[in-house]
Amino acid sequence: MSGTDRAARRGRAGRTGRRAGHRTLTVLLVLAVLAAACVGGELYARARVAQTVRDALPGLSDGSSVTTEGLVLPQLVRGELTSLDVDASSLELDPSAAGGSGSDDGTGLVTTLELADVDASLADVGISAPHRAGALTATGTVSWDSLAALVAAQDPDLPALTLSRAGTGDALTATATVLGVDVGLTLAPSVSDGSGIDLAVTGASLAGQEVDLDRQVGGKSLASWLGLSSTTISVPADALPAGLSVSSAAVADDGLRLTLAGKDLELDSLGS
């Protein structure tokens, strides 16, 4: 092979190598653009999810966090999010969504229901109004004032109660003034058979002295003066926002720690 032929072959090989290099670079650039688009789309999708949750539950406190499972973009395309976890300092539920009413059974509307230190998990959440959720579980603390309002709405015959934790145990104290005398009740919370809240009266005091509820005061029993028809004060599940029920109740320092659960909910009906 002559020198001229060898030079020509090297030239063709060089041009072929440069074309291959250009094709490789082009493919890499296209892949980089696609990757950037996917990342950008996923970031947008996650922002859209957070906004969707806020639209459905406007009672969520500022700064609440929303986390999802897996890639979000394909879930948005499908129109449903597999799961969501929400961490918020507070969540106010719409009182108009409560099941209670001024009916013959004496139940009344909840004045407000605000949960503090909220952890919530949702499954199968629709991204469009009314934002249906296949399941929801939320744990949060109902303040003593809010719990007193719940009780008052359900049992208007009771005097105004001030609630607080009884020591360090799983009980609470309700105090009121009857005929100018301080009355105290010790209450033990539990979940009722109907998935509401039961507050069982386990003790009573009059002017700081332990007494029985059937003690006669001014011709009536102490229970009668307090408007108690039984030894249990109940807040039924119907008094909670529609579709939610109580699955656990425990006393905390700043209120009653509740776990609320529901299935096949419209989140828009829960927001405040």
Side-chain angles (χ1 to χ4, degrees):
M1 179 182 295
S2 68
T4 301
D5 291 337
R6 286 195 296 272
R9 177 173 293 182
R10 285 195 298 269
R12 287 194 297 272
R15 288 192 296 272
T16 300
R18 286 193 294 273
R19 284 196 296 270
H22 289 156
R23 285 195 296 270
T24 300
L25 180 59
T26 300
V27 170
L28 290 175
L29 288 174
V30 169
L31 290 176
V33 170
L34 290 175
C38 289
V39 170
E42 181 67 13
L43 291 175
Y44 169 79
R46 291 181 180 276
R48 170 78 184 279
V49 167
Q51 187 58 50
T52 295
V53 173
R54 293 191 177 280
D55 290 342
L57 296 173
L60 275 176
S61 57
D62 292 338
S64 57
S65 66
V66 179
T67 57
T68 56
E69 179 181 327
L71 290 174
V72 172
L73 190 57
Q75 298 178 57
L76 285 184
V77 172
R78 192 173 69 243
E80 184 178 274
L81 298 163
T82 302
S83 66
L84 286 174
D85 290 319
V86 180
D87 185 1
S89 60
S90 66
L91 168 62
E92 186 173 339
L93 299 176
D94 188 352
S96 66
S101 63
S103 59
D104 292 339
D105 62 5
T107 60
L109 285 171
V110 177
T111 54
T112 186
L113 183 60
E114 183 172 351
L115 302 175
D117 189 17
V118 178
D119 295 311
S121 295
L122 301 88
D124 303 327
V125 181
I127 64 172
S128 301
H131 301 102
R132 295 196 65 85
L136 178 149
T137 301
T139 298
T141 302
V142 178
S143 71
W144 295 126
D145 288 344
S146 293
L147 181 60
L150 277 172
V151 169
Q154 300 311 305
D155 201 339
D157 292 333
L158 287 173
L161 298 177
T162 300
L163 303 179
S164 61
R165 186 171 192 171
T168 58
D170 196 20
L172 57 140
T173 298
T175 58
T177 301
V178 177
L179 298 177
V181 180
D182 291 336
V183 177
L185 297 175
T186 301
L187 307 174
S190 64
V191 179
S192 67
D193 291 340
S195 297
I197 305 168
D198 276 350
L199 301 173
V201 181
T202 60
S205 66
L206 185 65
Q209 300 297 315
E210 292 187 9
V211 296
D212 293 329
L213 285 174
D214 58 3
R215 175 173 175 173
Q216 295 295 303
V217 179
K220 294 171 58 175
S221 69
L222 181 58
S224 296
W225 282 114
L226 288 170
L228 290 172
S229 57
S230 73
T231 56
T232 299
I233 301 171
S234 295
V235 178
D238 286 347
L240 303 173
L244 293 180
S245 59
V246 180
S247 59
S248 71
V251 174
D253 287 338
D254 50 355
L256 196 62
R257 188 75 176 167
L258 299 178
T259 297
L260 304 176
K263 293 184 177 181
D264 298 324
L265 301 169
E266 292 185 358
L267 297 183
D268 288 10
S269 71
L270 302 179
S272 176

